[in-house]
Amino acid sequence: MSTTTSSPSAPRLNINNINPHVVKAQYAVRGELAVKSELYRAKIASGDAADLPFKEVISANIGNPQQLDQKPITFFRQVASLLENPKLLEHPDVLVDTLGYKTDVIERAKWLLSQCQSVGAYSASAGVPAIKKSVADFLERRDGFPADPAHIYLSAGASAGVNTLLHIICADQNSGVLVPIPQYPLYTASLAVLNAVCVPYNLDESKAWGTDLETIKASYAKAKAEGVDTRAIVIINPGNPTGASLSEADIRSVIDFARQENLVLIADEVYQTNVFVGEFHSFKAVLRRMQQEQPGVYDHLELASLHSISKGMVGECGHRGGYFELVGFDPKVEAEIYKFVSITLCAPVLGQCLVEVMVNPPKQGDPSFELYDKEYNAIFNGLKERAYALHAAFSQMEGVECGEPQGSMYIFPTIKLPAKAAEAAAAEGRTPDEFYCMRLLEATGICVVPGSGFGQKEGTLHFRTTFLAPGTEWVGSIVKFHKEFMDKYR
Amino acid sequence: MSTTTSSPSAPRLNINNINPHVVKAQYAVRGELAVKSELYRAKIASGDAADLPFKEVISANIGNPQQLDQKPITFFRQVASLLENPKLLEHPDVLVDTLGYKTDVIERAKWLLSQCQSVGAYSASAGVPAIKKSVADFLERRDGFPADPAHIYLSAGASAGVNTLLHIICADQNSGVLVPIPQYPLYTASLAVLNAVCVPYNLDESKAWGTDLETIKASYAKAKAEGVDTRAIVIINPGNPTGASLSEADIRSVIDFARQENLVLIADEVYQTNVFVGEFHSFKAVLRRMQQEQPGVYDHLELASLHSISKGMVGECGHRGGYFELVGFDPKVEAEIYKFVSITLCAPVLGQCLVEVMVNPPKQGDPSFELYDKEYNAIFNGLKERAYALHAAFSQMEGVECGEPQGSMYIFPTIKLPAKAAEAAAAEGRTPDEFYCMRLLEATGICVVPGSGFGQKEGTLHFRTTFLAPGTEWVGSIVKFHKEFMDKYR
């Protein structure tokens, strides 16, 4: 065989010939700032950090509770340990008398094993049937309306669900999806990869980041005038990055608009238990009420609602569990959704089991209830306290405006930066908020995400920080940095 | 707000307006036959199966060891149980004295926890750094050449890795990828969804399903003549569905061809430990040897090689773990790969930890070694025995030709069906092999996949069965069914 003929002088793939839609996608949550923060973390771990002005990295860029202070809920993890090593079930007395397991943990593990055979086996493509049934029962209790396991799909976190839905909905480069601004950048990134159109609609910061129907209508009309075939509207409720919890009136407006324009509703409800102000209203419950009130009018609305084990008081991000429920979809379209999820085989089975315990936790009277309830409430209250502490600190900072924390895991303050800061940012090829966040990281080790990573109304600047990190020292570091930054660029 | 205006008379999405590329994709491994087999399984479970001619469903359609006979390896699952419930580590004496844990299990769990903090936390996008290091060490031991953790990406099974690579490689509808026929249908399905071109090349059944360079060249040339921009070549070694294990000479030919045509090599090596005949040669090792032998000639070849915890003697499909290693990729392209994987956040962290124990299992002298070694060998030998038993049965069946089992988890016999069977199949709108597999399922409860699900040379028919199911009774059922089928349609 000839080996002296042409040899390539460069790799086949380069930035100019690979998939341009991937290149176009942006995902700031894990972008340059996150990468730099990980380098700092490695430097500190290696003991070579004498030149850094901070001693630890605070990853406030990602809603990743267990990386920070949050401990997993005991019931969930005890069940998981038995699923992983079923041989432990041969020692019930040791489990109960010595290792702190309650009998309901053992029963749940046995039941889950009977349903999935082994957490090491692939499940059915859409998930273990009995777990889909548990999810349906949960939805029925939550909403007061029936749910059908046949329309529930277990997914590797809500992200995989969003990926599936957008893959089905977007037919070509003309397909549009209405996405709130600011938004979790999974949406814009996925639409970019699919070469579909993101139709942005601004949330109303002056009304606690609620939806404003006139704004949505205007965005839709503009896209329509440009020839975009808008097919769906995404609502993130409670909001990410805003934390906003929508009123039922807002939800009704959005549903009615979707009906009028025949749009698929995608309700990202992963923060449904992280609500400090008001209460969570699911799109499913509101839709079902509207269908009851006006029979026939909302029959053909399609709703996909998503949930996850990564958020709430569960915080099991690393296990990649979640589900979505479909309402009103054409059976042939659902068959294509089934096929699409089957190509990736199935969601992680242990993640599916954690979905089950999340939607069906110990009930009052169950042996594990007391501890579960205590842990759950402690996490909820801890998040709330830190949110308010952060809010109090931000409220005192020059040029920072920040509404009362409402929920989710984030605060998204407005920052007004001096013109000199904007100039310095431009000189670095950065937006002013990126520039601010980069300086914050370098000075304090605190990693937050600039508002531009989520989208923000033109002329405004923000950053998003989680309120997951323990203690208040880091909040003080932000206050101190901010003052120095403002003094320098004023 | 008006609610009496137009109401949609049908859902927005229907089979004619959703993503046509998803509709076009085919994935028979979990298609109609698999769905029907699950309905049978549910029917039997509900006690309502008196009218069925079989008492259990045998899922020989998917390489899903733990759904059938295979038990998980104790060391792996003991470590996993401690990762899930770290509070167990507070009772080392109970673990060791009563529950059968060895000290190396405890040490490994502690170390993994120190590296990932919690299996409930997101890891870095490309995986836990220490686990990537373990993978690199394994590759170095396996191949005798260094591996760099910076170019290793942990993924949710090999499937997620393939999805990532094809997303990057395929730039537009003109981008082509050479795919072996028969193939695991993930490749054709993913290319269909991406609206890229599958450039099929037939494997050579007469040479134990090896690669035939002339065939590959002809396929490539034909695609080139049709204007396809072929960018990569997929090799599945050991083969799925064929079980074939490529010789080093075959691998060298493919590498040289890739060099000549400047193609990216995608080496799907998930069955690397399932080899009964000959030995496994990794593309990485062979490429490095060729680079040593002829300095400079192979410098710019790009190789992506994939591995998984789902196969081998591990069989942890449900945990969705795997990795891919990149060699020779442009740093800017790798940055895009990093961004793409970051959009899905990270691979399941417990799956990552199982990758670690797979590549770094107990060594001779370690407390857990003896049991690990015994379990590993028992699984290997069990697979081999069943493969040969199946082969012996098939060899006696009229019109069935089946080479000696070589590896992986599959046998892929040729079947020659009578003309009357082909006519009956056509009357049902099925290919003859689909028709045969459907009748087999209905008569015996055994689910296999028709060759058309993987692609097969024109004019040939096959089916793929795993050899995972325990016992020999089901093999007898196939023999009996086959005789009756042939008698009926002769």
Side-chain angles (χ1 to χ4, degrees):
Chain A
M1 174 184 329
S2 160
T3 52
T4 52
T5 55
S6 70
S7 287
S9 58
R12 174 57 176 264
L13 303 177
N14 61 58
I15 196 72
N16 297 314
N17 70 9
I18 60 171
N19 187 339
H21 312 305
V22 172
V23 175
K24 206 178 61 185
Q26 296 195 337
Y27 194 70
V29 177
R30 291 193 161 216
E32 186 190 355
L33 279 150
V35 171
K36 189 162 187 171
S37 76
E38 291 305 324
L39 293 178
Y40 282 145
R41 192 190 304 280
K43 202 169 149 71
I44 291 168
S46 73
D48 167 38
D51 57 332
L52 293 180
F54 48 85
K55 293 201 185 71
E56 66 171 330
V57 168
I58 306 262
S59 298
N61 55 320
I62 304 185
N64 192 7
Q66 294 186 25
Q67 189 192 29
L68 297 162
D69 195 30
Q70 194 168 309
K71 295 281 168 290
I73 289 180
T74 301
F75 178 81
F76 298 173
R77 292 302 198 87
Q78 286 180 332
V79 170
S81 67
L82 299 179
L83 298 175
E84 288 298 335
N85 187 9
K87 287 179 186 162
L88 290 173
L89 290 165
E90 296 164 11
H91 306 271
D93 295 348
V94 179
L95 289 173
V96 172
D97 299 342
T98 312
L99 300 174
Y101 287 62
K102 306 283 186 186
T103 52
D104 53 347
V105 172
I106 294 172
E107 284 158 26
R108 186 67 64 88
K110 283 184 178 171
W111 179 75
L112 283 166
L113 281 171
S114 76
Q115 296 302 320
C116 70
Q117 201 138 346
S118 162
V119 290
Y122 294 125
S123 72
S125 303
V128 176
I131 298 178
K132 301 199 316 173
K133 174 73 168 58
S134 267
V135 172
D137 292 345
F138 156 74
L139 293 172
E140 199 159 328
R141 288 193 304 275
R142 187 194 69 181
D143 294 335
F145 293 93
D148 183 347
H151 302 301
I152 288 163
Y153 297 78
L154 293 163
S155 57
S159 294
V162 168
N163 182 52
T164 298
L165 293 166
L166 294 180
H167 257 92
I168 296 291
I169 291 170
C170 299
D172 57 35
Q173 61 193 35
N174 205 35
S175 301
V177 175
L178 278 155
V179 172
I181 296 297
Q183 50 104 35
Y184 177 54
L186 169 64
Y187 293 96
T188 40
S190 302
L191 289 168
V193 170
L194 282 163
N195 194 26
V197 184
C198 174
V199 181
Y201 66 92
N202 286 326
L203 297 171
D204 189 346
E205 187 167 7
S206 73
K207 289 196 282 188
W209 293 111
T211 49
D212 178 72
L213 198 62
E214 293 313 310
T215 306
I216 295 174
K217 282 183 175 167
S219 294
Y220 177 80
K222 179 166 175 283
K224 194 171 184 177
E226 289 164 358
V228 175
D229 174 24
T230 304
R231 296 160 162 240
I233 177 167
V234 172
I235 309 96
I236 309 176
N237 178 45
N240 177 1
T242 67
S245 189
L246 293 183
S247 68
E248 177 161 350
D250 274 2
I251 293 173
R252 283 180 173 256
S253 299
V254 170
I255 291 176
D256 222 54
F257 171 73
R259 179 191 61 75
Q260 283 170 34
E261 304 299 348
N262 201 7
L263 299 177
V264 179
L265 287 157
I266 300 176
D268 177 339
E269 301 177 329
V270 301
Y271 296 98
Q272 57 188 265
T273 58
N274 298 100
V275 177
F276 307 146
V277 173
E279 61 178 314
F280 169 70
H281 305 279
S282 76
F283 267 76
K284 170 90 178 289
V286 176
L287 172 63
R288 289 298 191 222
R289 283 200 285 274
M290 292 169 79
Q291 287 174 331
Q292 274 187 337
E293 290 158 12
Q294 296 193 285
V297 176
Y298 299 94
D299 281 3
H300 288 295
L301 256 187
E302 293 137 289
L303 166 66
S305 51
L306 301 115
H307 196 13
S308 165
I309 60 171
S310 300
K311 310 301 172 186
M313 273 38 79
V314 185
E316 295 285 0
C317 310
H319 279 106
R320 314 306 302 119
Y323 71 83
F324 58 92
E325 185 194 18
L326 300 180
V327 171
F329 277 66
D330 181 300
K332 286 187 182 161
V333 173
E334 275 209 54
E336 295 299 322
I337 290 172
Y338 169 84
K339 183 177 72 186
F340 186 84
V341 300
S342 77
I343 296 172
T344 56
L345 297 162
C346 67
V349 176
L350 193 70
Q352 296 185 36
C353 293
L354 288 171
V355 168
E356 205 285 328
V357 290
M358 173 180 77
V359 299
N360 185 21
K363 284 182 278 292
Q364 194 129 32
D366 290 348
S368 293
F369 177 76
E370 196 183 336
L371 179 61
Y372 167 77
D373 195 51
K374 191 178 136 196
E375 290 176 336
Y376 188 95
N377 291 328
I379 295 169
F380 182 86
N381 292 328
L383 287 172
K384 191 168 174 178
E385 277 163 27
R386 275 178 268 158
Y388 279 86
L390 207 53
H391 175 253
F394 288 167
S395 300
Q396 295 170 1
M397 278 157 51
E398 177 191 357
V400 174
E401 286 167 25
C402 179
E404 189 192 4
Q406 297 186 80
S408 82
M409 296 178 169
Y410 313 106
I411 290 194
F412 194 65
T414 288
I415 46 175
K416 293 190 175 145
L417 300 179
K420 265 176 71 181
E423 286 160 25
E428 262 185 32
R430 297 185 191 281
T431 59
D433 51 351
E434 262 176 18
F435 178 80
Y436 176 88
C437 295
M438 188 58 83
R439 293 297 94 80
L440 175 67
L441 174 62
E442 290 163 354
T444 65
I446 300 167
C447 187
V448 300
V449 186
S452 51
F454 306 96
Q456 51 200 349
K457 201 172 170 176
E458 220 181 297
T460 68
L461 297 171
H462 302 77
F463 65 87
R464 184 189 84 168
T465 175
T466 70
F467 39 77
L468 296 165
T472 52
E473 200 182 325
W474 67 284
V475 180
S477 301
I478 298 181
V479 174
K480 179 166 172 284
F481 159 79
H482 185 78
K483 187 175 180 312
E484 288 166 4
F485 183 93
M486 295 301 275
D487 287 346
K488 178 166 180 185
Y489 292 104
R490 204 185 318 273
Chain B
M1 175 186 330
S2 161
T3 51
T4 53
T5 55
S6 69
S7 287
S9 59
R12 174 57 177 264
L13 303 177
N14 60 58
I15 196 72
N16 297 313
N17 69 10
I18 60 172
N19 187 339
H21 312 304
V22 172
V23 175
K24 204 178 63 186
Q26 296 194 337
Y27 193 71
V29 177
R30 292 194 159 215
E32 187 190 355
L33 280 150
V35 171
K36 190 163 187 171
S37 76
E38 291 304 324
L39 293 178
Y40 283 146
R41 193 191 304 278
K43 204 169 150 69
I44 292 168
S46 73
D48 168 37
D51 58 332
L52 292 180
F54 48 85
K55 293 201 186 74
E56 65 171 329
V57 168
I58 305 262
S59 298
N61 56 318
I62 303 184
N64 192 8
Q66 294 186 24
Q67 189 193 30
L68 297 162
D69 195 30
Q70 193 168 311
K71 295 282 169 291
I73 288 180
T74 300
F75 178 80
F76 297 174
R77 291 301 199 88
Q78 287 180 333
V79 170
S81 67
L82 300 179
L83 298 176
E84 287 298 334
N85 187 9
K87 285 178 187 163
L88 291 172
L89 291 166
E90 295 164 12
H91 305 273
D93 295 347
V94 180
L95 290 172
V96 172
D97 299 340
T98 312
L99 300 173
Y101 287 63
K102 306 282 186 189
T103 51
D104 53 347
V105 171
I106 295 172
E107 283 159 26
R108 186 68 64 90
K110 282 185 178 169
W111 178 74
L112 283 166
L113 282 171
S114 76
Q115 295 303 318
C116 70
Q117 200 137 349
S118 162
V119 289
Y122 294 125
S123 72
S125 302
V128 176
I131 297 178
K132 302 199 318 173
K133 173 75 167 56
S134 265
V135 172
D137 292 345
F138 155 73
L139 293 171
E140 199 159 329
R141 288 193 304 274
R142 187 194 70 182
D143 295 334
F145 293 92
D148 183 346
H151 302 301
I152 288 163
Y153 296 77
L154 292 162
S155 57
S159 295
V162 169
N163 182 54
T164 297
L165 293 166
L166 294 181
H167 258 92
I168 296 292
I169 291 170
C170 300
D172 58 34
Q173 59 194 37
N174 205 36
S175 301
V177 175
L178 279 156
V179 172
I181 296 298
Q183 50 103 35
Y184 178 55
L186 169 66
Y187 292 96
T188 40
S190 302
L191 289 168
V193 170
L194 281 163
N195 194 25
V197 184
C198 173
V199 181
Y201 66 92
N202 286 327
L203 297 172
D204 189 347
E205 189 167 6
S206 72
K207 288 196 281 188
W209 293 111
T211 49
D212 178 72
L213 198 63
E214 292 313 311
T215 306
I216 296 175
K217 280 184 176 167
S219 294
Y220 176 80
K222 179 166 175 284
K224 193 171 183 177
E226 289 164 358
V228 175
D229 174 24
T230 304
R231 297 160 160 238
I233 178 167
V234 172
I235 310 97
I236 310 178
N237 178 45
N240 177 0
T242 66
S245 189
L246 294 182
S247 68
E248 177 160 349
D250 274 2
I251 293 173
R252 284 181 174 255
S253 298
V254 171
I255 291 176
D256 221 53
F257 171 72
R259 178 192 63 77
Q260 282 170 37
E261 303 300 346
N262 202 7
L263 300 177
V264 179
L265 288 157
I266 300 177
D268 177 338
E269 301 177 328
V270 301
Y271 295 98
Q272 58 188 263
T273 57
N274 298 101
V275 177
F276 306 146
V277 174
E279 61 178 313
F280 169 70
H281 305 279
S282 77
F283 267 76
K284 170 90 178 288
V286 176
L287 172 63
R288 289 296 191 224
R289 283 199 286 273
M290 292 169 80
Q291 287 174 332
Q292 273 186 339
E293 290 158 13
Q294 295 193 286
V297 175
Y298 300 93
D299 281 3
H300 289 295
L301 256 187
E302 293 136 289
L303 166 66
S305 51
L306 301 113
H307 196 14
S308 166
I309 59 171
S310 300
K311 309 303 172 188
M313 272 37 79
V314 186
E316 294 285 0
C317 310
H319 279 108
R320 315 306 301 118
Y323 70 83
F324 58 91
E325 185 195 18
L326 300 180
V327 171
F329 277 66
D330 181 299
K332 285 186 183 162
V333 173
E334 275 210 54
E336 295 300 321
I337 291 171
Y338 169 83
K339 183 177 71 185
F340 186 85
V341 299
S342 78
I343 296 173
T344 56
L345 298 161
C346 67
V349 176
L350 193 69
Q352 296 185 35
C353 293
L354 288 171
V355 168
E356 205 285 328
V357 289
M358 173 181 77
V359 300
N360 186 20
K363 283 181 278 292
Q364 194 129 30
D366 290 349
S368 293
F369 178 75
E370 195 182 336
L371 180 60
Y372 167 78
D373 195 51
K374 191 178 136 198
E375 292 175 335
Y376 188 95
N377 291 329
I379 295 170
F380 182 86
N381 292 328
L383 287 172
K384 190 167 175 179
E385 276 163 27
R386 277 177 269 157
Y388 279 86
L390 208 54
H391 176 253
F394 288 167
S395 300
Q396 295 171 1
M397 278 157 50
E398 176 190 358
V400 173
E401 287 167 22
C402 179
E404 190 192 5
Q406 297 186 80
S408 82
M409 297 178 170
Y410 312 107
I411 289 194
F412 193 64
T414 288
I415 46 175
K416 293 190 175 145
L417 300 180
K420 265 176 71 182
E423 285 159 26
E428 262 186 32
R430 296 185 193 282
T431 59
D433 51 350
E434 261 175 20
F435 179 79
Y436 177 89
C437 294
M438 187 58 83
R439 292 298 92 80
L440 174 68
L441 174 62
E442 290 163 355
T444 65
I446 299 167
C447 187
V448 301
V449 186
S452 50
F454 305 97
Q456 50 200 349
K457 201 171 171 178
E458 222 180 298
T460 67
L461 298 172
H462 303 76
F463 66 85
R464 184 189 81 168
T465 176
T466 70
F467 39 76
L468 296 165
T472 53
E473 202 183 325
W474 67 284
V475 180
S477 302
I478 297 179
V479 174
K480 180 165 172 283
F481 159 79
H482 184 77
K483 185 174 182 316
E484 289 165 3
F485 183 93
M486 296 300 275
D487 287 347
K488 179 167 181 184
Y489 293 102
R490 202 185 319 273

